[in-house]
Amino acid sequence: MTIDKQLSPKLSEQSLVQTSINPAVGRGYAHSKIILMGEHSVVYDFPAIALPFNKAKIEAIVTPSLSDHHILSSDYYHGVLVNAPEALANIIRAVTLTLESFKLPNLPLHISIQSTIPVGRGMGSSAAVVVAIVRAICDFYTFNISDYQLHFIVNQAEVIAHESTSGIDTLMASSSSPIIYRKSKQPVPFEFNVDAYLIVADSGQEGQTKEAVSKVRLLKEDKPSFVHNVMRSIGEFVLQAHEAIQNNDRIELGRLMTYNHYYLNQLEVSNTRLDRIVNAAWIAGALGAKLTGGGLGGCVIALAEDLESAQQIELAMRDAGAVQTWSMFLNGKD
Ligand code: PMV
């Protein structure tokens, strides 16, 4: 298969870079991501804010394969890569694209994955696994991949994993900064220095991003002006939240997150399980709480003013059904 035609001139030019084979080991890392605000409306070109979330991450290790085939070794599947289940088609595509685009030697590789990112919870595990693997292959061949090239490969691979989306997931998998994003504009990275803790709670229920995106589309077809107004409001909250972050105003940020959840409810992408965890966070003193990502399952996020409050909120969210929680201080300056 030749893929040069699909590549931009910039990518093709850079694929001529010299590489050498490192017979030892290649390593690649990737983090999870959290959509702070603006999911769903971002599909219709309203703004959203997303952050890299380093508490859950993934490592890929590449070594020469002892067989004649590429081998994938993970909790989910162990065996010949090309025989992997359909759900891993994005990985097959990413490996093929990486080797062919950069004209790397096609030696049989053993790719092993260790991940603490729960699958299907809106934390970007699918795009992150691709990023980690592509980075590990490039490290193995001592090929210096640019962010642009990485983003291109992830985008191509993820087209298989999901139906057409806003692109925020694939962008975040390779971005090390928080971003404010609109589909039709360049993403804008920014510093996230708010004196507050972000808690992420896994509802234990697989998120249904594809179903939720199509549910919103159907609702929009049925009630166009209602849905447009909801999305326009969410877009305004996102811009106000961006301002609140720049002013280190955690109270305002929390308030806007809560409003965002209320409006996501209007789009019918929450469910009783998520609402129960959101309510528990509010009652335990969260400054704000909402679902994150596609919804109909997945994760809930909450904002806490200090560590003690964050710990209480985490407990309350677990009592309400969350199976796992993480928390992160949001002021990177400290
Ligand atoms: O992949 P998730 O569950 O984090 O959701 C992606 C966010 C959506 O706005 C629902 C879809 C999209 O492509 O932006």
Side-chain angles (χ1 to χ4, degrees):
M1 177 175 97
T2 169
I3 55 167
D4 276 355
K5 284 195 200 76
Q6 297 170 28
L7 302 177
S8 75
K10 194 172 168 194
L11 196 64
S12 300
E13 269 164 36
Q14 297 201 7
S15 68
L16 299 174
V17 172
Q18 282 293 312
T19 58
S20 63
I21 299 168
N22 171 2
V25 61
R27 287 175 195 276
Y29 301 89
H31 50 69
S32 54
K33 69 98 196 15
I34 294 298
I35 298 182
L36 187 76
M37 289 179 60
E39 50 276 268
H40 286 291
S41 38
V42 70
V43 174
Y44 298 90
D45 204 22
F46 291 98
I49 293 173
L51 344 167
F53 189 68
N54 290 315
K55 296 281 168 162
K57 48 192 166 192
I58 194 157
E59 178 181 16
I61 297 180
V62 166
T63 50
S65 169
L66 299 176
S67 82
D68 292 341
H69 305 281
H70 296 312
I71 302 291
L72 181 67
S73 176
S74 71
D75 286 345
Y76 184 66
Y77 172 78
H78 178 89
V80 175
L81 178 65
V82 287
N83 298 338
E86 183 57 30
L88 302 182
N90 58 333
I91 296 182
I92 302 174
R93 176 94 173 126
V95 170
T96 310
L97 269 170
T98 306
L99 296 173
E100 293 189 355
S101 310
F102 309 128
K103 301 186 174 27
L104 299 172
N106 198 355
L107 292 180
L109 300 175
H110 184 279
I111 301 166
S112 96
I113 298 163
Q114 292 290 332
S115 175
T116 57
I117 309 177
V119 175
R121 300 295 199 276
M123 291 176 78
S125 77
S126 163
V129 80
V130 167
V131 168
I133 288 175
V134 173
R135 283 185 171 147
I137 294 174
C138 291
D139 185 46
F140 181 79
Y141 286 118
T142 62
F143 174 75
N144 219 347
I145 187 167
S146 71
D147 286 350
Y148 171 83
Q149 291 167 322
L150 181 61
H151 184 54
F152 177 87
I153 302 263
V154 181
N155 255 328
Q156 292 291 306
E158 287 298 285
V159 167
I160 289 178
H162 307 292
E163 68 178 21
S164 135
T165 60
S166 69
I168 196 165
D169 275 11
T170 54
L171 182 70
M172 279 319 292
S174 54
S175 165
S176 53
S177 328
I179 52 160
I180 180 155
Y181 177 78
R182 270 187 79 162
K183 209 171 169 178
S184 61
K185 303 223 164 89
Q186 281 292 322
V188 181
F190 66 99
E191 285 205 12
F192 203 119
N193 296 317
V194 175
D195 294 324
Y197 283 80
L198 182 74
I199 300 147
V200 180
D202 176 358
S203 71
Q205 184 180 36
E206 196 153 323
Q208 309 290 333
T209 303
K210 212 167 170 175
E211 287 73 6
V213 168
S214 77
K215 196 172 177 191
V216 171
R217 181 173 39 79
L218 292 176
L219 189 67
K220 196 165 184 298
E221 279 164 23
D222 194 31
K223 301 178 179 170
S225 65
F226 169 75
V227 170
H228 180 78
N229 288 339
V230 168
M231 290 186 175
R232 201 180 48 199
S233 300
I234 294 176
E236 280 162 16
F237 297 150
V238 169
L239 296 179
Q240 289 166 25
H242 188 220
E243 215 174 296
I245 292 164
Q246 278 155 343
N247 297 331
N248 192 359
D249 187 346
R250 62 189 179 205
I251 306 235
E252 177 67 353
L253 177 59
R255 189 182 74 84
L256 292 161
M257 284 167 63
T258 297
Y259 272 109
N260 193 168
H261 183 74
Y262 174 72
Y263 278 86
L264 284 165
N265 247 313
Q266 304 285 306
L267 295 179
E268 300 175 14
V269 294
S270 190
N271 63 19
T272 46
R273 195 177 177 107
L274 296 176
D275 285 346
R276 199 179 317 124
I277 300 172
V278 166
N279 286 333
W282 285 333
I283 291 164
L287 301 171
K290 64 181 278 292
L291 70 85
T292 179
L296 303 177
C299 288
V300 166
I301 55 173
L303 199 69
E305 61 187 347
D306 57 29
L307 182 59
E308 199 187 336
S309 167
Q311 286 165 344
Q312 278 167 13
I313 294 163
E314 277 189 68
L315 280 178
M317 291 170 105
R318 282 175 187 248
D319 276 352
V323 294
Q324 199 177 358
T325 54
W326 301 262
S327 74
M328 174 173 96
F329 190 49
L330 287 172
N331 196 334
K333 278 190 205 142
D334 290 359

